[in-house]
Each structure stands twice: as C-alpha cells, then as structure tokens.
Amino acid sequence: MGSVVIPIPDGDQGFTHDLKQEKKFQVSLSPVISFVQKNRDAVRKAIHAIKVGIALVLVSLVYFVDTLYEKVGDDNAMWAIMTVVVIFEFHAGATLSKGLSRGIGTVLGGGLGYLAAVLGQQVGGIGNPFVVGVSVFIFGGAATYARLNPNIKKRYDYGVMIFILTFSLVSVSGLREENVIEIARERLVMIVLGFAICVCTSLFVFPMWASDELHDSMVSTFEGLASSIEGCIEEYFRLVNEKENQSVQPAASFRDCISVLNSKAKDESLVYFAKWEPWHGRFRLSHPWEKYQKIGEVLRELAAVILSLKGSLNSPEEPLQALRESIKEPCEAAGSSLAWTLRELGESIMKMRRCQPGAFIVPKLKLVRQELSQVMCPFKLGKLDNAEGFAVASFVFTLMGVVEKLEDLSKEVEELGELAGFLQG
C-alpha cells in the first residue's frame, strides 16, 4: 500500500508567534510607561487641562442648544461658564470645597439681597436707593471685616467674597428690575449647573485626589530624610581618609530636608482638601487627616535637626581625624538604625499596616541612645579640650537629638494606625 503523508501544523510555532507579538506589544508600551513615570507631574497637568476643556465644552451647550439659550438668556448663561472657570481646581477636594463655598455664598447673598431689594421697593420713592445703599454698606462692610479674620480668610475667604458679590448684584438690581426673584433664580440654576459639571468631571474623569498626593508625599518624606541621615554619616567619616581628595563628590544631600521645611503650607492645603473628598480607595470619610498634619510638623522638626549636622561636615582640622575614628563605628551603627527606623515608619504608612513601635522601634531607639551616650562617657569627655573636640561632641549630641525626634515620630505614627484602623503588621 502507498503511504499518505498528512501535514500536521506546528502548534508551537503559532504559540511562539503569539508570544513574539505580545512581547513586541509590551516593548512598544515600555517607552510610554517610562515617559509617564519620569514626567508624572507634567502628565497630571495635561490631564487637568483636558478635564477643564471638557467641562467648558459641556457647559457651553447652554449657548449651543437654542431651546436652553432661549430659556436662560445671554446674561444668565454666562454664569455657568464663569462658575466652571472659577471653581475648577486641580484636586477633587479643592473643587468640592470651592464649589460648595460658592453655592453657600450665592444662596445667602442672593437671599439677603432679594430681601433688601423687596424692602426697598416697599419703601419706594427716594427711600428705595437709601435702603439698598445702607444694606450694601452694612452687609458688605461686615463681610469684608470678617474676611480680615485669619481663620475665616484661610478657609472661607472665597465663599465670603461670593456672598458680597451676589448680595450687591441682587440688591442693586432691584432698583431697576421688578422681577428680581426670577433673575436670582435663573442665575442660581446656572451656577448649580456649572458646579454639577465641575464635580462630575473632577470626580469621574481621572480624578486627582489630594488625599493620595498627601499620603504619597508623606511616605517619600520618610525615605528622603533616611537617605539624608545615611549620606551625612557617610560624608562625615569619609573625610577621615579622603579629606585631601577634593575631587570626591559629597555623599550628603540636604535638599530633601530643605524641601520638608518648606512643605508646611502645601501639607495644610492638602489636608484641608482631603477632608472634602468622598470615600475612595483606601481612605474612608473619617480618615484622620489631622494626624498627617501633626506627623508633618514632627518631620519638619526632624529635618531641622538633620540639617544642623551640615555644620559638622565643615571641620578641616587634622586633629579631628583621630577623634572621628574613635566614634566612627558606633555613629555609623546609630545612623543605620535611625535610617531603618524612618523607612520602617514610612512603609507602615505606605502599606497602611501597624508596625507596633512600642515592641520593635522604641527599644531599638533606646539602644541607640545608650550607645551614643557611651560615646560621650567621662573618659572621652576629657579629650574635648579644644574646638575640634567640641565639634565632634556637637555631632554626637545632634544624633541624639535625631533619636529623640524619632521617638516622638514613632508615637505619632502609632496613633495614626490606631485612628485610621491600619491592619496588624
């Protein structure tokens, strides 16, 4: 019998072809992912600009659709566009805060302005402008005086300003217009429409959460300060053997410390905006954002102490070499423990798990404090009879100050874990 050869397709070949296509697809995406990671801030700004453009297009439908335009008119339709331009902020919490402040200020200002206009019309004659003028003077002056209060200016300045504007416009409009209530109602509807478009766009189109930014920046601060401590210790004792080599680049960088010292205003703003944001991701409505602010204060104090170590790096006297060598090993061990503690606390916040500082971190910090105290024992204090010796002592005492701040910081992080309900590590 003749044999028949039946060709069998190689299944592996097709599978290999699919893998190659998948690999090629992954490789083609890698430059995009790398660009996004390197230019994260620029990408977020571009997304925000696109969202504002989308909101403006949506609110402009009031002009594009004839039936809507005929109902609201040109004077009232512009209030919706003005609302989008004014209240749309980068963070979702900021948009909600500003929008609600504008809404409350508009309602209060419009309501009181309408009452003032109606009262003026009831008086009639020359008493009408007199009543309106006195009302504008009293309410406008009182609201302006309230804006000078630091607490009100910090949180409610925009709402008070909108109150003054709306009250003045509505009450003065009553001098020439009889249907003041109709005008106020239509403008309020347009403001609510603009606010609704802003909120929906901000919350549902690639939302920028202030809470996420605050959380991530807090975690990166821990890592930055830990690197600053390691760099400072390395630089201080590297000078023992490499002082004459001026071409060696310094290992210590205090840029992170300076950045932390200048972060107070930003942290306060992010905390305030985070309180306005709805439940999303890992953050509940009752998340203790005030504790983040307290942790930030302790971090700034810690950054100031670390920054004071910078003066210890500028001691070129030769006699310092022997003294530095005598404290090199315990100080390097202490610096390593301090950096580990900072990273452990930062990881606890990042992963939202409790690290139990009382069981692990606090005993380790106490051990570091004892080791540094032994460095400054009476036997070695006898050597500190010159400026170089006092410089070494200042360096060790500053490290002990870092230990003290880390003890306070560990307590704050532990309280944050209890209030926020972090999982057990």
Side-chain angles (χ1 to χ4, degrees):
M1 291 178 63
S3 59
V4 179
V5 178
I6 301 175
I8 300 176
D10 189 358
D12 293 340
Q13 183 177 0
F15 180 71
T16 305
H17 180 67
D18 292 339
L19 285 179
K20 289 181 178 179
Q21 286 184 344
E22 183 178 353
K23 184 176 181 182
K24 187 182 297 183
F25 181 71
Q26 291 177 349
V27 172
S28 63
L29 285 181
S30 59
V32 178
I33 298 175
S34 177
F35 175 81
V36 172
Q37 292 176 347
K38 291 181 180 179
N39 302 274
R40 186 169 178 268
D41 291 338
V43 172
R44 295 178 71 201
K45 291 177 181 178
I47 292 175
H48 174 67
I50 293 173
K51 289 165 62 177
V52 173
I54 292 174
L56 288 174
V57 170
L58 292 176
V59 80
S60 297
L61 292 176
V62 177
Y63 281 91
F64 298 157
V65 179
D66 294 337
T67 55
L68 292 176
Y69 180 78
E70 292 175 357
K71 289 183 178 180
V72 299
D74 182 69
D75 293 337
N76 295 321
M78 70 174 63
W79 284 83
I81 297 178
M82 289 172 56
T83 301
V84 172
V85 174
V86 170
I87 74 170
F88 206 122
E89 295 289 337
F90 187 82
H91 297 105
T95 302
L96 284 169
S97 171
K98 208 168 185 180
L100 291 175
S101 297
R102 182 179 177 87
I104 295 173
T106 300
V107 171
L108 292 178
L112 292 176
Y114 171 73
L115 294 177
V118 171
L119 180 60
Q121 291 177 356
Q122 292 294 327
V123 174
I126 195 173
N128 188 2
F130 177 78
V131 171
V132 173
V134 171
S135 301
V136 170
F137 174 79
I138 294 175
F139 285 98
T144 302
Y145 182 81
R147 291 183 65 190
L148 300 178
N149 185 293
N151 294 327
I152 295 179
K153 188 173 185 63
K154 182 178 180 180
R155 299 182 180 276
Y156 309 110
D157 183 69
Y158 180 71
V160 177
M161 182 182 66
I162 293 299
F163 169 81
I164 298 172
L165 175 64
T166 307
F167 176 82
S168 301
L169 290 176
V170 172
S171 59
V172 172
S173 298
L175 296 173
R176 301 294 181 181
E177 300 287 343
E178 294 183 358
N179 55 342
V180 181
I181 185 63
E182 185 67 20
I183 296 175
R185 184 185 64 82
E186 292 178 352
R187 291 182 179 179
L188 180 60
V189 169
M190 289 296 99
I191 291 174
V192 171
L193 175 63
F195 171 70
I197 291 175
C198 286
V199 170
C200 292
T201 307
S202 181
L203 294 181
F204 301 113
V205 181
F206 297 102
M208 305 292 183
W209 303 112
S211 51
D212 287 341
E213 183 173 342
L214 175 64
H215 189 84
D216 295 341
S217 65
M218 186 72 67
V219 172
S220 64
T221 298
F222 280 87
E223 175 62 32
L225 293 182
S227 300
S228 296
I229 293 176
E230 290 178 335
C232 185
I233 297 291
E234 179 184 351
E235 179 71 11
Y236 187 76
F237 293 105
R238 184 174 62 83
L239 293 175
V240 174
N241 300 319
E242 301 179 4
K243 186 187 300 185
E244 67 281 356
N245 188 0
Q246 299 296 331
S247 62
V248 178
Q249 295 295 326
S253 175
F254 297 95
R255 192 172 303 170
D256 292 321
C257 296
I258 298 174
S259 176
V260 173
L261 291 175
N262 297 328
S263 65
K264 182 177 181 180
K266 180 182 178 182
D267 289 349
E268 289 180 350
S269 298
L270 291 176
V271 167
Y272 177 70
F273 296 148
K275 294 177 182 178
W276 286 90
E277 293 177 350
W279 189 330
H280 65 281
R282 301 173 295 175
F283 305 116
R284 301 172 299 177
L285 291 175
S286 59
H287 199 75
W289 297 113
E290 297 85 355
K291 183 58 66 174
Y292 280 76
Q293 195 167 346
K294 293 182 179 179
I295 292 176
E297 293 175 0
V298 179
L299 286 173
R300 281 186 286 274
E301 295 175 0
L302 176 61
V305 176
I306 297 174
L307 196 61
S308 65
L309 292 172
K310 185 176 182 181
S312 302
L313 302 179
N314 303 321
S315 299
E317 292 83 357
E318 288 296 327
L320 274 177
Q321 294 185 11
L323 286 175
R324 289 186 181 184
E325 283 287 2
S326 66
I327 65 171
K328 180 179 180 180
E329 184 175 349
C331 286
E332 285 183 341
S336 178
S337 297
L338 296 177
W340 174 87
T341 300
L342 274 170
R343 291 193 172 98
E344 185 69 16
L345 294 174
E347 186 178 2
S348 171
I349 296 178
M350 178 183 67
K351 296 182 178 180
M352 300 185 74
R353 63 170 178 80
R354 300 181 63 177
C355 59
Q356 297 180 344
F360 301 103
I361 294 179
V362 173
K364 193 166 188 175
L365 291 176
K366 289 182 179 179
L367 181 61
V368 172
R369 183 191 291 272
Q370 292 176 0
E371 292 176 351
L372 292 176
S373 299
Q374 292 176 0
V375 171
M376 303 307 298
C377 64
F379 171 75
K380 293 190 176 182
L381 284 176
K383 300 179 181 180
L384 305 180
D385 55 356
N386 50 42
E388 294 82 4
F390 282 113
V392 172
S394 176
F395 181 80
V396 177
F397 281 127
T398 304
L399 283 180
M400 295 178 69
V402 174
V403 175
E404 181 181 352
K405 292 301 177 184
L406 279 180
E407 290 176 346
D408 297 338
L409 186 61
S410 64
K411 294 178 183 178
E412 295 292 342
V413 174
E414 186 175 15
E415 291 179 5
L416 173 63
E418 293 177 357
L419 295 174
F422 286 1
L423 299 176
Q424 293 291 338

